[in-house]
Amino acid sequence: MSEFLCPKGMEYGPCGGVTAVGECEVAPRPCVFLDRPTVRWSAPPGTDEGGTTGGHSAGADRMRALIARRPIVVADFPARALDAGSLAECAGTLAGHVDAVLAGDSGAARVQFPPSYRAHLIQAAGVAVWAGLNCRDRNRVALEGEVAALAHVAVAGVHCVTGDHPSTGSRPDAAPVFDLDSTRAARTARAAGHLVSVAEAPATVPTARRPARLLEKMRAGAEVCFVNHAGGPGPVGEFIDRAGDLGVRMGFVPCVPVVVDHESARLLVSFTGLVLPAGYLERILAARDPRAEGIAAAAELGQAFLARDEVIGVDLSGGPGPGRERWFAEALAEIGRALVPVDRSPAGR
Ligand code: SF4
């Protein structure tokens, strides 16, 4: 049998798609990184691994200043793909109620406006953008162009992920690129002057080595870690402690699950590696008013996360059923107001 190679060609694996039994997200074979030691960060000799160096983003300056003052609230961006009207409507609904929106990847709609153009449209409607950047659809040259454009439009942050394999989303016909991976993309975005975030999944195999992988992302240039749904403040706190013991000094932004109806529940449970606090979903779906219960549950959980000093903010994570984008944005705005009821001057403008 031929040797199984990482389908994403990752150097700094494993990705967040490893299954609960240690198999690759793409094929029923063991993830190739499970038996290897964590790969230490090192830029390839003779390169800066990023092209543009010494870049600057005014949006990063504003977001760093805001983080120094108080916890931030970021919200997943619920607008329809390729729909400028929906983007403006959702951005206008969230403006003034959250500090930034995470405009990232979607398995249901792989084709999106390019990150920098999407950021431009959203920020024009009054809310700062934390732009998602994946390595699936663009090679390093295209990514360098994107991070330069994102600095020009002054996004608040750039969230670097390797990205799900195309075989898992709405465009399985597309060729996978994966010229870089999340760790290397973090370096590229940092070199362009961005405030860089990465994701880590404490509940995803190999759980014991997730903090060590985060350390290497920090060494590559990441400053903020968005923590995937891992079961609530207890497990997330343990992950932060273990990362701290290894020397990780980053700001943490745990994901808060947002469920306000059966459709948003269905979408959330499709997330890779999802672990929710015990009874969370059941409490909301059994309520007479799931929307009100979901908003209250998210606000409570968000406050619990924010009790730790290392937690610099929360990300309201989830998405709407078809046609409910604005309604979902209104719920996100309500949770944002409940979490930090203070000034919301747009950090990315
Ligand atoms: S699970 Fe991810 S890192 Fe592991 S082999 Fe598959 S694609 Fe590569």
Side-chain angles (χ1 to χ4, degrees):
M1 194 188 292
S2 61
E3 186 191 1
F4 178 61
L5 303 174
C6 173
K8 298 179 184 175
M10 290 186 72
E11 186 172 347
Y12 298 94
C15 72
V18 186
T19 71
V21 294
E23 289 186 342
C24 176
E25 75 175 32
V26 181
R29 305 281 295 270
C31 169
V32 303
F33 286 95
L34 293 192
D35 298 331
R36 299 181 194 168
T38 301
V39 182
R40 303 296 310 272
W41 163 255
S42 68
T47 78
D48 188 62
E49 183 76 312
T52 317
T53 53
H56 176 252
S57 165
D61 292 345
R62 286 192 285 271
M63 183 50 77
R64 285 196 186 96
L66 184 62
I67 289 169
R69 288 209 309 276
R70 62 163 173 78
I72 58 167
V73 178
V74 180
D76 286 4
F77 193 59
R80 285 188 296 280
L82 307 177
D83 185 334
S86 177
L87 262 68
E89 183 178 66
C90 290
T93 302
L94 286 160
H97 306 297
V98 299
D99 297 303
V101 294
L102 181 61
D105 197 12
S106 161
R110 292 290 195 218
V111 184
Q112 302 271 348
F113 287 140
S116 50
Y117 182 59
R118 186 154 52 144
H120 165 71
L121 292 176
I122 297 170
Q123 294 198 157
V127 65
V129 169
W130 204 300
L133 199 70
N134 76 70
C135 303
R136 175 187 57 246
D137 304 322
R138 292 175 176 82
N139 70 11
R140 69 187 70 192
V141 175
L143 289 172
E144 287 171 25
E146 276 298 332
V147 295
L150 288 167
H152 185 68
V153 302
V155 293
V158 174
H159 186 58
C160 296
V161 298
T162 301
D164 300 331
H165 195 275
S167 64
T168 66
S170 67
R171 289 300 299 270
D173 59 315
V177 180
F178 299 115
D179 190 20
L180 301 180
D181 59 28
S182 56
T183 306
R184 298 173 70 185
R187 174 61 158 210
T188 299
R190 184 65 183 271
H194 290 292
L195 171 60
V196 175
S197 64
V198 289
E200 203 49 75
T204 297
V205 173
T207 55
R209 290 191 10 232
R210 292 287 167 189
R213 182 161 181 260
L214 181 60
L215 177 66
E216 302 313 316
K217 290 179 176 179
M218 181 189 84
R219 294 179 66 229
E223 295 172 74
V224 174
C225 173
F226 281 62
V227 187
N228 285 11
H229 302 281
V236 169
E238 284 168 27
F239 173 74
I240 293 172
D241 286 341
R242 285 163 46 215
D245 290 346
L246 293 178
V248 172
R249 301 290 178 263
M250 299 172 73
F252 290 88
V253 178
C255 290
V256 173
V258 177
V259 173
V260 285
D261 61 1
H262 284 271
E263 276 129 342
S264 54
R266 255 194 298 279
L267 190 134
L268 189 77
V269 298
S270 74
F271 285 13
T272 306
L274 177 89
V275 180
L276 296 176
Y280 189 86
L281 210 53
E282 295 76 8
R283 163 190 168 182
I284 297 166
L285 295 180
R288 205 158 47 86
D289 183 348
R291 184 180 185 279
E293 194 69 23
I295 289 169
E300 280 169 30
L301 185 57
Q303 293 291 8
F305 279 131
L306 290 171
R308 280 194 70 126
D309 287 347
E310 300 94 332
V311 173
I312 61 162
V314 291
D315 174 48
L316 309 181
S317 170
R324 308 208 89 182
E325 294 82 10
R326 181 180 183 157
W327 183 80
F328 193 80
E330 287 167 354
L332 294 172
E334 219 172 298
I335 300 165
R337 286 196 295 277
L339 276 170
V340 191
V342 290
D343 74 289
R344 290 265 184 240
S345 48
R349 305 297 300 153

